[in-house]
Amino acid sequence: MSAFFGDSGSDCRTNEGVSPLKVRTTQKRRIIADVAARVGMWGATLMVMIPIFLIFYYIAKKGLPTMDWEFLTQSQPFSMRARGGGFVHGLIGTLIMVGLAALISVPLGVLGAIYLVEYGKGRPLAQVVRFFSDVMTGVPSVFVGLFVYTALVIPYGFGAVMGAAALAIIMLPIVVRSSEEMLKLVPRELKEASYALGAGKWQTITRVVLPTAAPGITTGVMLAVARAAGETAPLILTALGSLEIVTKMVGEPIASLPVLVFTGARNPFPAGQERAWAGALELLLLVLVFTLLARIASSRNKLQQ
Amino acid sequence: MSQEPAFSVRDLHVSYGGQPALKDVGMDIEPCKIIAVIGPSGCGKSTLLRCFNRMNDLIPGAKITGEVLYNGQDIYAKDVDPVTIRRSVGMVFQRPNPFPKSIRDNVAYGARINGYKGNMDELVERSLRGAALWDEVKDNLNKSALSLSGGQQQRLCIARAIAVEPDTILMDEPASALDPVATSKIEDLMQELKEKYTIIIVTHNMQQAARVSDKAAFLYTEVNETGKARWGILVEYDDTDRIFTNPRDKRTEDYISGRFG
């Protein structure tokens, strides 16, 4: 044994031959790298947070003074110059159109995702659907607006249904792709357990796969709703706008929060601009409330570990 | 002594995507016995087990030829629906896989999808008692199954399987993810279960196979000349005592005595 180790003078019992300095430099390097990475990541997080906080801050600062009970419950005055009034007509319009759009796109999108994950695996049709979903996610929303304008507005006129159709087209690929990711996460073992108990495919999907993926799907749906609630360009082309509450679904232009914010912000009168700020705040809160509700609903559903 | 076999396997060949996985298996399985399937990793033990309830059908590219007679009926015949087979041949998996639902819903799942008309509470209790889990969970039936320990989860999976009232239970290394205490509970439970059920268990654990089983099947991997394709064959199938004390085949003896695998 000593023929092999004796000459080197290294012995684990005495630490001889092991340079203590060497150990320390590697340690030091590791500590420096660790600190650098940590600082870098905190820095990056801060950089991302700053604009978000600034947006919140400005919208709250500019919007809060105008945001009162009257603003929340009244429609806009006829003249942009006049103070007072509010965006309740836009709030109602947004709720109607986003609600309708969700009613169309969520079932379709979730069913589409089920097809992609459970039925179409490896089939060319699934590849095509997936590819075009990705393309659709990236299509500028104004194109969607133009499409619906040509297909529905020209023959039937402006209206809530047309706006909802445009929003549904925007939401659909988001719902499909996010639901697909969530459905893919359902462990194979769970599906096998269900099949082994004599469940059919559809039973397994409705009773095991969907409930397991539900919280994730809800999050994806909320993303899509938040996106649709803030869309402006397609609504200008399909819903146009209105100065009062509209509940007719087809053939009558209808207001929406983002379009009201847009028109208010680009008009020259301070009263109109103030209402636009308050409208932006209202839209932000609306999306916030939706997201919170969805979080609560899905966490109540989920069985924790 | 000789009974009608519960399962009768003839010339069974399985391949996945053209690659053979199991070749030329033939065996008779008597009812109300525990049959252990042993052999080195990758020799097709799980593949064989999954032939008994047609779980291999779920794997794309799987091809099964030969006969698996279940109470005299070929389960791979064209007019047989795999779903009906799985209702009478239950399965417990290697890793406990309860549904993310309450304990009660887990047990009731199979009965519900099969349109069970009887008293659900009674069935849940009977199944949980059958899996020796009732006393531990009777006050918490609405708690999430995921809050149970691994061993409890596995017994819940057994309860879930027997709630469908099958006559055979397939177990794919049911104790490999469990500690020794939980393992011995599962083994005791198997002895109780064999009063009513035929049990086929895949295990890597020689002692376990020797302890629990009445008969044992030893599978072994064969490799072709190029060394690229490998598949499992049934080397020996006999009473467990015989397999472990006086095996006919040299390969069985080598494996049992720990010379390889």
Side-chain angles (χ1 to χ4, degrees), chain B residues 7-229:
Chain B
F7 284 97
S8 197
V9 181
R10 296 280 168 269
D11 307 319
L12 183 72
H13 291 252
V14 183
S15 63
Y16 296 122
Q19 294 283 332
L22 206 56
K23 278 193 177 177
D24 201 22
V25 174
M27 63 198 292
D28 281 344
I29 288 166
E30 291 152 55
C32 296
K33 288 267 163 67
I34 299 180
I35 285 84
V37 181
I38 56 175
S41 292
C43 70
K45 301 185 295 291
S46 294
T47 298
L48 174 61
L49 193 73
R50 287 161 159 264
C51 285
F52 292 111
N53 65 344
R54 292 192 61 172
M55 285 299 273
N56 283 329
D57 291 23
L58 300 174
I59 298 169
K63 191 165 174 287
I64 294 114
T65 58
E67 271 184 344
V68 178
L69 300 181
Y70 168 59
N71 296 329
Q73 195 198 355
D74 184 8
I75 63 171
Y76 285 96
K78 279 215 168 58
D79 55 342
V80 173
D81 181 2
V83 168
T84 57
I85 306 292
R86 294 182 196 131
R87 285 178 189 177
S88 38
V89 183
M91 189 163 198
V92 177
F93 296 81
Q94 180 170 5
R95 279 205 313 191
N97 56 354
F99 300 124
K101 302 170 185 284
S102 71
I103 293 170
R104 185 202 310 277
D105 286 345
N106 262 278
V107 180
Y109 181 86
R112 280 201 186 120
I113 56 169
N114 292 329
Y116 179 72
K117 291 283 189 310
N119 185 337
M120 195 57 89
D121 288 334
E122 203 183 295
L123 177 78
V124 168
E125 180 175 345
R126 178 154 33 98
S127 307
L128 284 169
R129 279 189 194 282
L133 189 60
W134 174 253
D135 291 329
E136 290 159 65
V137 301
K138 63 183 174 202
D139 301 321
N140 297 311
L141 290 179
N142 291 321
K143 248 173 77 178
S144 164
L146 299 178
S147 66
L148 299 175
S149 73
Q152 288 174 326
Q153 288 188 10
Q154 195 62 302
R155 276 178 285 149
L156 178 65
C157 291
I158 294 174
R160 184 174 69 181
I162 60 183
V164 198
E165 293 169 345
D167 51 33
T168 305
I169 303 174
L170 309 174
M171 297 186 170
D172 192 352
E173 297 185 49
S176 68
L178 305 180
D179 67 47
V181 178
T183 302
S184 84
K185 277 192 184 160
I186 301 271
E187 286 179 8
D188 292 345
L189 176 58
M190 288 171 65
Q191 296 306 325
E192 287 170 33
L193 290 175
K194 81 169 193 184
E195 307 278 317
K196 280 159 83 181
Y197 309 94
T198 311
I199 298 174
I200 308 177
I201 173 176
V202 164
T203 178
H204 261 124
N205 183 331
M206 290 301 113
Q207 287 85 359
Q208 185 174 57
R211 275 195 303 266
V212 301
S213 67
D214 302 304
K215 294 189 91 171
F218 173 63
L219 301 192
Y220 184 60
T221 319
E222 255 185 8
V223 184
N224 72 351
E225 308 80 49
T226 60
K228 286 214 177 99

Side-chain angles (χ1 to χ4, degrees), chain A residues 109-120:
Chain A
V110 172
L111 285 171
I114 290 174
Y115 170 77
L116 289 181
V117 176
E118 300 290 338
Y119 292 92

